[in-house]
Amino acid sequence: MYNSFWLVLLIATSCTTKLSAVYINPNKLMQGYHGATAQHETFQRKAKVWQQRLDSLTSELQALNLTSVAIRSSKEQQLLRYREAVQQQAEQENQRLTKAVLAEINAYIKQYGKAKGYTFILGATESGNIVYAAEGTDITSDVLKGLNEQYDRQHPGSIVK
């Protein structure tokens, strides 16, 4: 009797509640989102500075060919430590920027889903998370358009196209 009550309640609820599910392609959002492009450009500028410093240290090391073994060894160690530190810093910076972009995208999708009255917004990748989707349920373009409009309003001087 107790289980029957919940089954009837579930059926009644599902008949009166409109469940609507749509999906987005997260890869397309990341590729087309102006905020992601701007963050990528920021990261590239930083990486260029790091690479210039590495190149400078490498040049210094090459210039020490005729110098003592101890000095050369010390410079080689300095270069290796710096290279490892730069790689670690680059990885951390890339993760930080990616996390920030994903937070912006997720916040927008949540707002978008509530405004449109969707019950679910799923993420579909090329690896095939969604086996079938009815035509018109891919909202990637609409979300990307709104996301970019929001970004462009918030960052008027840095419009990336």
Side-chain angles (χ1 to χ4, degrees):
M1 176 75 180
Y2 187 71
N3 288 335
S4 300
F5 170 75
W6 289 112
L7 181 61
V8 171
L9 182 62
L10 177 64
I11 292 171
T13 303
S14 65
C15 291
T16 60
T17 304
K18 177 187 166 202
L19 292 178
S20 58
V22 292
Y23 73 96
I24 57 165
N25 183 321
N27 296 332
K28 288 181 181 177
L29 283 181
M30 285 297 286
Q31 291 170 355
Y33 176 42
H34 296 170
T37 304
Q39 294 290 19
H40 178 73
E41 290 172 358
T42 298
F43 179 78
Q44 290 301 321
R45 284 192 300 276
K46 290 179 180 183
K48 185 177 180 179
V49 170
W50 296 327
Q51 186 60 49
Q52 288 171 342
R53 179 67 179 135
L54 277 171
D55 292 345
S56 175
L57 288 172
T58 302
S59 295
E60 285 179 31
L61 183 62
Q62 290 171 348
L64 293 175
N65 279 338
L66 302 175
T67 320
S68 75
V69 174
I71 294 173
R72 182 167 175 75
S73 179
S74 173
K75 285 288 187 182
E76 285 174 346
Q77 290 300 314
Q78 180 185 4
L79 177 61
L80 287 173
R81 283 191 305 272
Y82 184 74
R83 181 176 287 135
E84 288 173 5
V86 164
Q87 288 171 342
Q88 186 178 27
Q89 185 177 6
E91 187 176 307
Q92 290 172 350
E93 183 68 6
N94 189 33
Q95 288 174 355
R96 184 186 70 77
L97 293 174
T98 300
K99 186 177 179 180
V101 167
L102 289 174
E104 290 173 17
I105 290 172
N106 289 335
Y108 181 81
I109 290 171
K110 185 176 182 179
Q111 167 194 340
Y112 179 91
K114 285 181 180 180
K116 297 287 185 173
Y118 293 126
T119 306
F120 297 99
I121 297 180
L122 306 172
T125 62
E126 281 73 30
S127 60
N129 299 16
I130 296 177
V131 178
Y132 169 77
E135 190 173 320
T137 57
D138 181 355
I139 59 168
T140 305
S141 296
D142 194 36
V143 169
L144 184 58
K145 179 183 176 201
L147 190 60
N148 282 333
E149 287 171 356
Q150 176 180 292
Y151 178 84
D152 294 345
R153 279 192 310 275
Q154 292 173 347
H155 304 88
S158 63
I159 296 178
V160 181
K161 301 276 175 162

